[in-house]
Structures are given as C-alpha cells and as structure tokens.
Amino acid sequence: MVGLFAAQRYEALAEAAKELDQLESQADDVKEDILDQVSLGGVFPIHRADLARLVASMDNIANLARGLRSPLDT
C-alpha cells in the first residue's frame, strides 16, 4: 500500500484498499465464529479468556492494517 501510494498509483491503491477491506470483513466474521465456539465451552489448551484476548488482538492487527483505530485505543 505504501509503495503504491509513493509511486502515485492511486487506482491500484484504491483496489488494494478495497481488497484489504474485504479481507478485514471476512476476518471479523471468523473472529465472531471463533468467539461463538469458545463460548460453548470445552477443553482448550489455553484458558478461554486468553483465547478470546488472542482473537481480539488479531482483529486489532487487521483493523490497524486497514487504518482503523481499535476500540481498545482510548
């Protein structure tokens, strides 16, 4: 993205941003599915709260890549 911006390839940058937005939306769906499964209980190799924090952190990475602020960034 930075390379496209620096090269002033704005149309390619817009397409890349659109693709990144779609991938981040898909990641949000996967995050919700994971959290739904975690809430059902079961045996996990790590504590459920730690797993939920891990999933939220991964979502924060995707949001930052997209240029969004995390709800945890106050």
mmCIF file of all heavy atoms in Angstrom, residues 4 6-8 12 18-19 23-24 27 33-34 37 40 44 48 51-52 54 56 58-59 62 64 67 73:
data_model
loop_
_atom_site.group_PDB
_atom_site.id
_atom_site.type_symbol
_atom_site.label_atom_id
_atom_site.label_comp_id
_atom_site.label_asym_id
_atom_site.label_seq_id
_atom_site.Cartn_x
_atom_site.Cartn_y
_atom_site.Cartn_z
ATOM 1 N N LEU A 4 2.493 1.640 -3.367
ATOM 2 C CA LEU A 4 1.553 2.145 -4.376
ATOM 3 C C LEU A 4 1.314 3.640 -4.190
ATOM 4 O O LEU A 4 1.261 4.395 -5.167
ATOM 5 C CB LEU A 4 0.230 1.386 -4.303
ATOM 6 C CG LEU A 4 0.278 -0.083 -4.704
ATOM 7 C CD1 LEU A 4 -1.058 -0.759 -4.426
ATOM 8 C CD2 LEU A 4 0.640 -0.210 -6.176
ATOM 9 N N ALA A 6 3.390 5.803 -2.722
ATOM 10 C CA ALA A 6 4.626 6.520 -3.053
ATOM 11 C C ALA A 6 4.820 6.606 -4.571
ATOM 12 O O ALA A 6 5.355 7.600 -5.067
ATOM 13 C CB ALA A 6 5.819 5.844 -2.394
ATOM 14 N N ALA A 7 4.378 5.580 -5.282
ATOM 15 C CA ALA A 7 4.502 5.567 -6.742
ATOM 16 C C ALA A 7 3.354 6.321 -7.412
ATOM 17 O O ALA A 7 3.287 6.359 -8.636
ATOM 18 C CB ALA A 7 4.553 4.129 -7.243
ATOM 19 N N GLN A 8 2.481 6.895 -6.616
ATOM 20 C CA GLN A 8 1.317 7.638 -7.099
ATOM 21 C C GLN A 8 0.427 6.777 -8.008
ATOM 22 O O GLN A 8 -0.182 7.257 -8.955
ATOM 23 C CB GLN A 8 1.744 8.921 -7.820
ATOM 24 C CG GLN A 8 2.457 9.881 -6.911
ATOM 25 C CD GLN A 8 2.871 11.158 -7.605
ATOM 26 O OE1 GLN A 8 2.716 11.322 -8.802
ATOM 27 N NE2 GLN A 8 3.411 12.073 -6.823
ATOM 28 N N ALA A 12 -4.522 1.639 -8.410
ATOM 29 C CA ALA A 12 -4.096 0.358 -7.831
ATOM 30 C C ALA A 12 -4.220 0.401 -6.312
ATOM 31 O O ALA A 12 -4.598 -0.597 -5.686
ATOM 32 C CB ALA A 12 -2.661 0.034 -8.248
ATOM 33 N N LYS A 18 -9.589 -1.734 -1.270
ATOM 34 C CA LYS A 18 -10.877 -2.442 -1.342
ATOM 35 C C LYS A 18 -10.692 -3.914 -0.966
ATOM 36 O O LYS A 18 -11.475 -4.469 -0.200
ATOM 37 C CB LYS A 18 -11.452 -2.310 -2.752
ATOM 38 C CG LYS A 18 -12.801 -2.933 -2.931
ATOM 39 C CD LYS A 18 -13.307 -2.718 -4.360
ATOM 40 C CE LYS A 18 -14.618 -3.411 -4.591
ATOM 41 N NZ LYS A 18 -15.110 -3.228 -5.962
ATOM 42 N N GLU A 19 -9.642 -4.540 -1.492
ATOM 43 C CA GLU A 19 -9.373 -5.946 -1.172
ATOM 44 C C GLU A 19 -9.060 -6.115 0.313
ATOM 45 O O GLU A 19 -9.549 -7.045 0.962
ATOM 46 C CB GLU A 19 -8.205 -6.462 -2.007
ATOM 47 C CG GLU A 19 -7.878 -7.917 -1.738
ATOM 48 C CD GLU A 19 -6.702 -8.421 -2.545
ATOM 49 O OE1 GLU A 19 -6.162 -7.691 -3.388
ATOM 50 O OE2 GLU A 19 -6.317 -9.578 -2.311
ATOM 51 N N LEU A 23 -11.045 -8.407 3.088
ATOM 52 C CA LEU A 23 -10.366 -9.397 3.927
ATOM 53 C C LEU A 23 -10.587 -9.110 5.407
ATOM 54 O O LEU A 23 -10.778 -10.033 6.197
ATOM 55 C CB LEU A 23 -8.864 -9.416 3.608
ATOM 56 C CG LEU A 23 -8.485 -9.978 2.241
ATOM 57 C CD1 LEU A 23 -7.004 -9.726 1.961
ATOM 58 C CD2 LEU A 23 -8.818 -11.456 2.157
ATOM 59 N N GLU A 24 -10.577 -7.841 5.779
ATOM 60 C CA GLU A 24 -10.806 -7.491 7.184
ATOM 61 C C GLU A 24 -12.231 -7.840 7.601
ATOM 62 O O GLU A 24 -12.460 -8.316 8.701
ATOM 63 C CB GLU A 24 -10.519 -6.000 7.403
ATOM 64 C CG GLU A 24 -10.185 -5.645 8.835
ATOM 65 C CD GLU A 24 -11.399 -5.534 9.734
ATOM 66 O OE1 GLU A 24 -12.462 -5.113 9.248
ATOM 67 O OE2 GLU A 24 -11.300 -5.873 10.921
ATOM 68 N N ALA A 27 -12.303 -11.452 8.172
ATOM 69 C CA ALA A 27 -11.638 -11.742 9.451
ATOM 70 C C ALA A 27 -12.576 -11.468 10.621
ATOM 71 O O ALA A 27 -12.573 -12.214 11.605
ATOM 72 C CB ALA A 27 -10.360 -10.909 9.581
ATOM 73 N N ASP A 33 -17.131 -16.223 14.727
ATOM 74 C CA ASP A 33 -17.319 -17.678 14.764
ATOM 75 C C ASP A 33 -16.461 -18.314 15.854
ATOM 76 O O ASP A 33 -16.923 -19.192 16.590
ATOM 77 C CB ASP A 33 -16.983 -18.307 13.404
ATOM 78 C CG ASP A 33 -17.990 -17.970 12.329
ATOM 79 O OD1 ASP A 33 -19.117 -17.527 12.669
ATOM 80 O OD2 ASP A 33 -17.644 -18.146 11.140
ATOM 81 N N ILE A 34 -15.206 -17.870 15.954
ATOM 82 C CA ILE A 34 -14.308 -18.417 16.975
ATOM 83 C C ILE A 34 -14.838 -18.107 18.363
ATOM 84 O O ILE A 34 -14.891 -18.983 19.236
ATOM 85 C CB ILE A 34 -12.884 -17.873 16.794
ATOM 86 C CG1 ILE A 34 -12.259 -18.447 15.521
ATOM 87 C CG2 ILE A 34 -12.014 -18.195 18.015
ATOM 88 C CD1 ILE A 34 -10.947 -17.792 15.133
ATOM 89 N N GLN A 37 -17.719 -20.299 19.285
ATOM 90 C CA GLN A 37 -17.289 -21.648 19.652
ATOM 91 C C GLN A 37 -16.661 -21.663 21.045
ATOM 92 O O GLN A 37 -16.886 -22.581 21.827
ATOM 93 C CB GLN A 37 -16.297 -22.202 18.623
ATOM 94 C CG GLN A 37 -16.918 -22.507 17.284
ATOM 95 C CD GLN A 37 -17.986 -23.576 17.381
ATOM 96 O OE1 GLN A 37 -17.799 -24.612 18.017
ATOM 97 N NE2 GLN A 37 -19.129 -23.321 16.764
ATOM 98 N N LEU A 40 -19.114 -21.771 23.884
ATOM 99 C CA LEU A 40 -19.794 -23.042 24.108
ATOM 100 C C LEU A 40 -19.087 -23.901 25.151
ATOM 101 O O LEU A 40 -19.651 -24.870 25.644
ATOM 102 C CB LEU A 40 -19.917 -23.822 22.796
ATOM 103 C CG LEU A 40 -20.783 -23.183 21.712
ATOM 104 C CD1 LEU A 40 -20.721 -24.021 20.427
ATOM 105 C CD2 LEU A 40 -22.215 -23.023 22.184
ATOM 106 N N PHE A 44 -9.751 -26.457 26.136
ATOM 107 C CA PHE A 44 -8.835 -25.742 25.268
ATOM 108 C C PHE A 44 -7.446 -25.792 25.890
ATOM 109 O O PHE A 44 -7.314 -25.807 27.119
ATOM 110 C CB PHE A 44 -9.270 -24.273 25.110
ATOM 111 C CG PHE A 44 -10.613 -24.124 24.447
ATOM 112 C CD1 PHE A 44 -11.749 -23.893 25.200
ATOM 113 C CD2 PHE A 44 -10.731 -24.232 23.074
ATOM 114 C CE1 PHE A 44 -12.987 -23.761 24.597
ATOM 115 C CE2 PHE A 44 -11.960 -24.103 22.458
ATOM 116 C CZ PHE A 44 -13.089 -23.864 23.219
ATOM 117 N N ARG A 48 -9.909 -19.917 28.231
ATOM 118 C CA ARG A 48 -10.824 -19.294 27.268
ATOM 119 C C ARG A 48 -10.677 -17.787 27.202
ATOM 120 O O ARG A 48 -10.754 -17.196 26.133
ATOM 121 C CB ARG A 48 -12.270 -19.673 27.590
ATOM 122 C CG ARG A 48 -12.588 -21.100 27.201
ATOM 123 C CD ARG A 48 -14.035 -21.391 27.355
ATOM 124 N NE ARG A 48 -14.369 -21.399 28.777
ATOM 125 C CZ ARG A 48 -15.588 -21.452 29.255
ATOM 126 N NH1 ARG A 48 -16.609 -21.507 28.443
ATOM 127 N NH2 ARG A 48 -15.808 -21.469 30.545
ATOM 128 N N LEU A 51 -7.708 -17.029 25.112
ATOM 129 C CA LEU A 51 -8.022 -17.276 23.710
ATOM 130 C C LEU A 51 -8.854 -16.132 23.134
ATOM 131 O O LEU A 51 -8.598 -15.668 22.023
ATOM 132 C CB LEU A 51 -8.763 -18.610 23.559
ATOM 133 C CG LEU A 51 -9.072 -19.069 22.144
ATOM 134 C CD1 LEU A 51 -7.809 -19.169 21.308
ATOM 135 C CD2 LEU A 51 -9.794 -20.407 22.179
ATOM 136 N N ALA A 52 -9.810 -15.649 23.904
ATOM 137 C CA ALA A 52 -10.630 -14.526 23.448
ATOM 138 C C ALA A 52 -9.771 -13.277 23.252
ATOM 139 O O ALA A 52 -9.946 -12.543 22.270
ATOM 140 C CB ALA A 52 -11.756 -14.253 24.439
ATOM 141 N N LEU A 54 -6.584 -13.251 22.520
ATOM 142 C CA LEU A 54 -5.767 -13.510 21.344
ATOM 143 C C LEU A 54 -6.542 -13.189 20.068
ATOM 144 O O LEU A 54 -6.039 -12.518 19.166
ATOM 145 C CB LEU A 54 -5.292 -14.966 21.331
ATOM 146 C CG LEU A 54 -4.556 -15.417 20.069
ATOM 147 C CD1 LEU A 54 -3.262 -14.632 19.892
ATOM 148 C CD2 LEU A 54 -4.287 -16.909 20.131
ATOM 149 N N ALA A 56 -9.126 -11.192 19.761
ATOM 150 C CA ALA A 56 -9.339 -9.742 19.691
ATOM 151 C C ALA A 56 -8.073 -9.023 19.241
ATOM 152 O O ALA A 56 -8.143 -8.076 18.450
ATOM 153 C CB ALA A 56 -9.803 -9.219 21.046
ATOM 154 N N MET A 58 -5.732 -10.236 17.312
ATOM 155 C CA MET A 58 -5.568 -10.485 15.882
ATOM 156 C C MET A 58 -6.483 -9.577 15.074
ATOM 157 O O MET A 58 -6.097 -9.068 14.021
ATOM 158 C CB MET A 58 -5.829 -11.963 15.574
ATOM 159 C CG MET A 58 -4.769 -12.875 16.170
ATOM 160 S SD MET A 58 -5.201 -14.608 16.114
ATOM 161 C CE MET A 58 -5.191 -14.919 14.374
ATOM 162 N N ASP A 59 -7.680 -9.333 15.574
ATOM 163 C CA ASP A 59 -8.593 -8.420 14.900
ATOM 164 C C ASP A 59 -8.045 -7.002 14.931
ATOM 165 O O ASP A 59 -8.171 -6.259 13.965
ATOM 166 C CB ASP A 59 -9.982 -8.487 15.528
ATOM 167 C CG ASP A 59 -10.976 -7.630 14.784
ATOM 168 O OD1 ASP A 59 -11.058 -7.742 13.543
ATOM 169 O OD2 ASP A 59 -11.677 -6.834 15.434
ATOM 170 N N ALA A 62 -5.633 -6.537 12.137
ATOM 171 C CA ALA A 62 -6.319 -6.331 10.859
ATOM 172 C C ALA A 62 -6.893 -4.925 10.767
ATOM 173 O O ALA A 62 -6.815 -4.274 9.720
ATOM 174 C CB ALA A 62 -7.424 -7.377 10.684
ATOM 175 N N LEU A 64 -5.763 -2.224 12.280
ATOM 176 C CA LEU A 64 -4.661 -1.281 12.106
ATOM 177 C C LEU A 64 -4.131 -1.312 10.682
ATOM 178 O O LEU A 64 -3.784 -0.272 10.120
ATOM 179 C CB LEU A 64 -3.543 -1.585 13.107
ATOM 180 C CG LEU A 64 -3.875 -1.273 14.561
ATOM 181 C CD1 LEU A 64 -2.777 -1.808 15.484
ATOM 182 C CD2 LEU A 64 -4.065 0.214 14.762
ATOM 183 N N GLY A 67 -6.216 0.793 8.750
ATOM 184 C CA GLY A 67 -6.180 2.199 9.114
ATOM 185 C C GLY A 67 -7.241 2.594 10.111
ATOM 186 O O GLY A 67 -7.506 3.771 10.308
ATOM 187 N N ASP A 73 -8.098 1.378 21.884
ATOM 188 C CA ASP A 73 -7.220 2.540 21.832
ATOM 189 C C ASP A 73 -7.983 3.777 22.262
ATOM 190 O O ASP A 73 -8.651 4.423 21.477
ATOM 191 C CB ASP A 73 -6.678 2.772 20.411
ATOM 192 C CG ASP A 73 -5.800 1.646 19.921
ATOM 193 O OD1 ASP A 73 -5.235 0.938 20.764
ATOM 194 O OD2 ASP A 73 -5.679 1.492 18.696
#
